[in-house]
Amino acid sequence: MAPAAAIAASIPSGAAFAGGSLPLSVVVALIACLFTASCVAELARHLPAAGSVATYSAQGLHPAIGFLVGWGYVFVEALVPALLLLQLGFTTAGTLHQEWSSHPAHLWWPWSLFGAAVIALAGYFGVRASARFGTVLGIFEVLVFVAFAVLLIGQAGSDNTLSVFGTSHTADGFDGISGIFAGSVCTVLAFAGFEAAAPLAEETKNPRRTMRRAVLGAALSIGLVYVLTTYAMSVYFGPDRFAGFGASGAASWEGVARASFGLFWVLLFLAVVNSTVANANACATVSTRTAFALGRIGVFPRAFAQLHPRRRSPVTGVAVQFVIAVGATLGLGFAYDPVTAFVLLAT
């Protein structure tokens, strides 16, 4: 679910609408996503298949709908690693240039290629390797931001207030509940990813029990982290001026860390970089497993159903995912620039 990148870059976009009441927007988004997660979890329990949402649609609605959903899902998931690798590239290069001007700001692509190689190797070594890799990275980034949130709450002191869970701090022009819901729309993007556990059903012990806990557990636990961190920054920064908070500059997570907490910003930077790699790894796992399911039934070429004899990883899908990620990253990154390419793929 890339919590660090979401906390630092995605969730702050909702502050322009919800202002200092952004924590309430996060709660609203969490409730909405838990309803969705509950549906996915129940479907994963009854239909534990690598095809996940494609299988659910085919069985529950019509095979033609499943066909369209499968193609759409694998297409989107195959492109997400590319946009995350672009973010990895320009974030790392930009930060290094800011600290050491001798490092060229335009030298973003080696970092993107490094990230692509890492996720390809994780995919090749099988689901245990990629899952453990993602888990370790995820724990690191969550711990960093939770620790920082605790520091912010402590520094806020008497400014801590539950009023940020009301509607009194919304941005100008978005008074009351309209600002809360507008902020929650932006915040929902941060929750994307809890459904990514579902395509791993065929590689999971006791999937009918485990998948439900994985999907719901991911949405709830990371959602609570979002609530905590957003609350902490809102009360520390000041609820009534939080509408100006964003993803970069002085009024951002990194900006606050640089100004008030010394070298702690380095940990935040590493957590965000870590987050892009972890999320790219998760999406690559989803795309290769969905492609495997489609190859097995003949919708994709049968080669996509080929498994490594020892590691049981879908090697064709892993190789194709690597080519797509590198091709889209370098092709669009050089044709435009990495930030424009990122926005293009995200759109």
Side-chain angles (χ1 to χ4, degrees), residues 1 115-139 141 196-197 199-201 203-204 274-289 311-314 318 321:
M1 290 177 66
V118 169
I119 63 173
L121 284 173
Y124 169 77
F125 282 108
V127 71
R128 286 183 182 273
S130 59
R132 286 171 178 167
F133 178 62
T135 301
V136 170
L137 295 185
I139 290 172
E141 62 190 86
L200 300 179
E203 300 168 271
T204 303
N274 165 101
S275 189
T276 61
V277 177
N279 199 19
N281 173 66
C283 293
T285 301
V286 172
S287 69
T288 53
R289 270 56 183 184
R311 305 191 183 279
R312 309 304 293 167
S313 56
V318 170
Q321 173 63 79

Side-chain angles (χ1 to χ4, degrees), residues 59-161:
Q59 295 289 322
L61 298 173
H62 191 277
I65 302 297
F67 174 83
L68 292 174
V69 169
W71 269 96
Y73 192 49
V74 76
F75 176 74
V76 168
E77 293 293 340
L79 288 177
V80 173
L83 74 88
L84 290 163
L85 293 173
L86 285 162
Q87 184 181 11
L88 169 65
F90 67 69
T91 299
T92 305
T95 302
L96 292 177
H97 177 71
Q98 186 175 355
E99 293 301 307
W100 299 284
S101 57
S102 59
H103 186 283
H106 63 270
L107 199 62
W108 57 271
W109 56 270
W111 303 104
S112 298
L113 287 180
F114 173 74
V118 169
I119 63 173
L121 284 173
Y124 169 77
F125 282 108
V127 71
R128 286 183 182 273
S130 59
R132 286 171 178 167
F133 178 62
T135 301
V136 170
L137 295 185
I139 290 172
F140 168 74
E141 62 190 86
V142 167
L143 288 178
V144 168
F145 271 88
V146 167
F148 192 36
V150 172
L151 285 176
L152 292 173
I153 292 171
Q155 290 286 330
S158 60
D159 291 327
N160 279 283
T161 173

Side-chain angles (χ1 to χ4, degrees), residues 7-47:
I7 293 167
S10 176
I11 292 176
S13 63
F17 307 99
S21 296
L22 188 60
L24 179 57
S25 291
V26 176
V27 172
V28 171
L30 170 59
I31 293 170
C33 288
L34 282 175
F35 279 118
T36 307
S38 177
C39 294
V40 175
E42 289 301 317
L43 288 163
R45 187 159 69 93
H46 289 285
L47 296 167

